[in-house]
Amino acid sequence: MEFHYQEPFPILKDETQYKKLTSEYVKTEFLGDREILTIDPLGLELLAENALADVSFMLRSSHLQKLKNIIDDPEATDNDRFVAYNLLQNAAVAIEGALPSCQDTGTAICVAKKGENVYTGVEDAAWISKGIYNTYQDRNLRYSQIVPLTMFEEKNSGSNLPAQIDIYAERGNEYKFLFLAKGGGSANKTFLYQKTKSLLNESSLDVFVRERIMDLGTAACPPYHLALVIGGTSAEANLAAVKKASAGYYDHLPTEGNMGGQAFRDLEWEKRVQKICQESSIGAQFGGKYLTHDVRVIRLPRHAASCPVGMGVSCSADRNIKGKITKDGIFLEQLEVNPKQFLPLTPPHLEEAVSIDLNRPMSEVLAELSKYPIKTRLNLNGTLIVARDIAHAKIKELLDSGQPMPDYFKNHPIYYAGPAKTPNGMASGSFGPTTAGRMDVYVDEFQSHGGSMIMLAKGNRSKDVTNACHKYGGFYLGSIGGPAAILAKENITSVEVVDFEELGMEAVRKIEIKNFPAFIISDDKGNDFFESIAAK
């Protein structure tokens, strides 16, 4: 066989609509016959700063249209429509530029392709990092990056750095970028399965997908853009393709393979996996048809003894944006500036939610919740205590040392969350729920001490939590993952730090809420919504 080089991921076209940021910071020079694009590093800083700002408050028009499609679909459940409508309302709030669409404003990621005829003369990653730093300093975003000082001692970096910056070389004199703000919830729902040739037949692949779809759950805030990548020259190559595919970066790959091993989309299996997701009945968080907006299935070459399979999602905070620098200037993908146009003229009709007054003794609130079945939609009013990973660890340390559990953990429901910065003149920064499953290990012990009797967060939980709620009479309530901006604007009336102030966004807070939406997920009778779906 003769030598032939095949570009691994031949993207056939780019239909991205760009806006021009500036004509400054670029110039062309000639080195012999070669046209060199020279970029002032301030241009890299400018592009990164604008990219992370836009993607924190704006979404792609195509993503918003898919939310509207859910509301318009007669087969969608009331729960699907409720979530889709809330996410569209959230987009309409975030576009105002004060409250980011999600409180977890993510790890900043930049994937770049630098043409061989592009010259900057600097460490590009440093200038891209500076632009990212500027946005996180200047806007109401959250610092989520934890840096290790020793194996077990950690501290928040206070800047949301470091960022992940991957720069590749290619031909030409253009510099192309994909920026992502990847929240922990969706990042945690990236899976690698080391399979074999035995998977590569219709029946085996169908069974595999049906089983593994349940691994996704709702912790990463569906509806999802799901990517399933089969094959790869390495596990690392597979997962890199998963991330880019979930961001829409590989939408214009070929649709068939060749002897060079080019990556391709399998459109038939995309339809099949989408149907499997719809049939799962998980829906847009609380039951229904719309676990996923869409699916990308990409097939890659593999070593004969290995078949890596990767699965990952871009969540309801679909924060992906392209950029480029050419001899004509610096350009950034145009995201939607008028999300309100996707909202229906009238809200979807829904059965009235049950109002729950939280400002009563815990025993009375538990007795009230016990009257209703799982899946009941609630409006919560009153006081919540906010605590997440590190705060839970601190309270366990107190218990382990023989000290009592703080009264606030016994007297109020616990909301798993960590806010973004509070804008001037507002009661709260973006303040949506975090993934409940990370706190599962604490529930039985805490409830045995009379704490965590009502928990509020997002996503499915382990059987241990269901058992603990049954044993001690507790409840887990699910909040909608994603609409953090509208929760801050309309449902949270005050925020006060009450313990562990040094933990920053992980400090324990007391918040007052009104008409805060939630669903009963696990009850005091041993019932669990997600378990009931899996049993079907």
Side-chain angles (χ1 to χ4, degrees):
M1 180 179 290
E2 294 183 0
F3 171 77
H4 170 69
Y5 174 74
Q6 170 65 60
E7 183 181 353
F9 294 90
I11 299 173
L12 302 179
K13 58 182 176 179
D14 183 7
E15 296 180 333
T16 307
Q17 298 296 311
Y18 290 95
K19 63 181 179 181
K20 190 172 187 177
L21 297 181
T22 183
S23 297
E24 298 181 6
Y25 308 118
V26 299
K27 65 180 179 179
T28 55
E29 302 175 279
F30 282 88
L31 182 63
D33 294 333
R34 296 176 66 176
E35 185 180 56
I36 305 297
L37 175 65
T38 300
I39 302 173
D40 185 319
L42 288 171
L44 298 176
E45 180 180 345
L46 174 73
L47 178 61
E49 182 174 344
N50 280 270
L52 269 295
D54 279 11
V55 85
S56 297
F57 297 92
M58 305 164 73
L59 292 162
R60 288 171 168 163
S61 303
S62 58
H63 176 81
L64 295 167
Q65 180 61 53
K66 290 180 184 293
L67 288 170
K68 184 178 185 301
N69 292 345
I70 295 175
I71 297 173
D72 294 339
D73 184 357
E75 294 182 355
T77 64
D78 281 354
N79 287 342
D80 283 333
R81 294 191 187 94
F82 179 66
V83 171
Y85 185 72
N86 270 265
L87 291 172
L88 284 172
Q89 286 183 306
N90 191 67
V93 171
I95 195 66
E96 297 171 2
L99 296 162
S101 59
C102 180
Q103 82 287 340
D104 183 352
T105 49
T107 297
I109 300 172
C110 174
V111 181
K113 293 180 178 180
K114 185 178 184 180
E116 63 178 345
N117 292 327
V118 174
Y119 176 78
T120 61
V122 297
E123 180 68 43
D124 292 6
W127 288 86
I128 294 168
S129 292
K130 181 57 163 55
I132 292 167
Y133 169 88
N134 293 344
T135 293
Y136 277 85
Q137 289 289 315
D138 297 342
R139 307 299 292 268
N140 298 312
L141 309 185
R142 193 179 84 182
Y143 305 142
S144 299
Q145 302 310 305
I146 307 297
V147 296
L149 303 180
T150 67
M151 179 59 76
F152 304 113
E153 182 185 0
E154 299 178 313
K155 190 172 182 180
N156 193 300
S157 69
S159 64
N160 214 61
L161 295 178
Q164 177 186 329
I165 300 174
D166 302 323
I167 302 175
Y168 302 87
E170 67 173 11
R171 294 181 62 193
N173 63 344
E174 293 189 358
Y175 210 156
K176 303 170 187 174
F177 301 83
L178 172 66
F179 293 93
L180 306 88
K182 196 69 171 172
S186 60
N188 291 343
K189 290 302 178 179
T190 301
F191 298 95
L192 175 69
Y193 308 95
Q194 294 285 14
K195 308 301 289 185
T196 67
K197 168 66 176 174
S198 63
L199 180 70
L200 299 179
N201 61 78
E202 287 206 17
S203 60
S204 296
L205 185 56
D206 186 274
V207 170
F208 171 83
V209 171
R210 290 182 185 277
E211 291 176 347
R212 299 282 71 86
I213 285 301
M214 302 308 292
D215 292 344
L216 289 175
T218 62
C221 305
Y224 300 131
H225 301 282
L226 172 65
L228 180 68
V229 178
I230 300 170
T233 50
S234 67
E236 296 83 1
N238 177 285
L239 291 179
V242 167
K243 181 169 288 184
K244 294 171 189 175
S246 70
Y249 192 70
Y250 288 144
D251 280 5
H252 296 297
L253 286 177
T255 55
E256 58 184 17
N258 65 10
M259 286 303 297
Q262 70 179 15
F264 67 91
R265 285 179 59 188
D266 190 312
L267 302 183
E268 177 187 349
W269 271 95
E270 289 181 0
K271 293 177 183 177
R272 290 180 67 163
V273 176
Q274 175 73 339
K275 189 171 187 293
I276 290 170
C277 291
Q278 292 174 345
E279 292 172 350
S280 73
S281 299
I282 297 173
Q285 305 192 28
F286 303 107
K289 176 181 175 182
Y290 282 98
L291 175 64
T292 52
H293 286 302
D294 48 43
V295 176
R296 296 292 178 263
V297 176
I298 294 178
R299 188 67 165 87
L300 302 180
R302 65 183 184 90
H303 185 282
S306 177
C307 185
V309 178
M311 182 171 66
V313 299
S314 184
C315 67
S316 58
D318 187 45
R319 293 173 298 195
N320 313 293
I321 188 169
K322 294 180 182 179
K324 64 181 180 179
I325 304 177
T326 73
K327 62 183 180 181
D328 297 318
I330 300 175
F331 299 85
L332 189 60
E333 181 177 353
Q334 178 64 67
L335 302 182
E336 180 57 57
V337 297
N338 182 25
K340 288 183 179 180
Q341 66 177 298
F342 296 94
L343 279 165
L345 295 177
T346 57
H349 175 72
L350 301 168
E351 291 188 13
E352 188 172 351
V354 176
S355 291
I356 301 293
D357 179 9
L358 302 178
N359 288 337
R360 292 182 291 169
M362 178 59 68
S363 60
E364 293 184 15
V365 181
L366 292 170
E368 180 68 16
L369 289 174
S370 190
K371 298 176 183 177
Y372 304 101
I374 55 171
K375 292 179 63 174
T376 299
R377 187 162 63 91
L378 309 172
N379 277 337
L380 305 179
N381 296 274
T383 303
L384 295 176
I385 290 296
V386 180
R388 44 178 285 156
D389 307 60
I390 299 179
H392 276 70
K394 291 282 190 183
I395 290 172
K396 178 168 171 48
E397 288 177 6
L398 292 177
L399 297 177
D400 289 346
S401 66
Q403 298 181 62
M405 174 175 281
D407 285 341
Y408 57 69
F409 240 71
K410 299 178 182 180
N411 297 336
H412 304 288
I414 308 302
Y415 181 38
Y416 302 162
K421 287 183 281 189
T422 302
N424 291 334
M426 293 189 178
S428 171
S430 291
F431 212 158
T434 195
T435 304
R438 300 198 308 275
M439 270 56 75
D440 285 5
V441 297
Y442 302 102
V443 173
D444 188 281
E445 181 178 5
F446 283 16
Q447 288 193 346
S448 72
H449 287 270
S452 292
M453 296 304 297
I454 301 172
M455 301 159 286
L456 176 65
K458 65 171 181 173
N460 47 303
R461 307 194 72 171
S462 67
K463 182 66 174 177
D464 290 342
V465 173
T466 307
N467 292 340
C469 287
H470 190 199
K471 187 194 316 185
Y472 299 109
F475 287 82
Y476 166 51
L477 310 181
S479 181
I480 303 173
I486 196 168
L487 288 175
K489 184 175 181 179
E490 297 190 359
N491 305 107
I492 299 173
T493 60
S494 69
V495 180
E496 174 190 356
V497 174
V498 295
D499 211 350
F500 308 124
E501 185 174 6
E502 71 278 7
L503 298 181
M505 69 97 173
E506 298 239 22
V508 175
R509 290 169 168 83
K510 180 172 73 173
I511 67 173
E512 299 298 324
I513 59 171
K514 62 177 183 180
N515 296 323
F516 195 105
F519 291 79
I520 298 177
I521 303 299
S522 300
D523 66 12
D524 57 348
K525 304 169 188 68
N527 301 308
D528 179 82
F529 164 65
F530 294 106
E531 191 176 80
S532 68
I533 288 178
K536 288 183 179 179

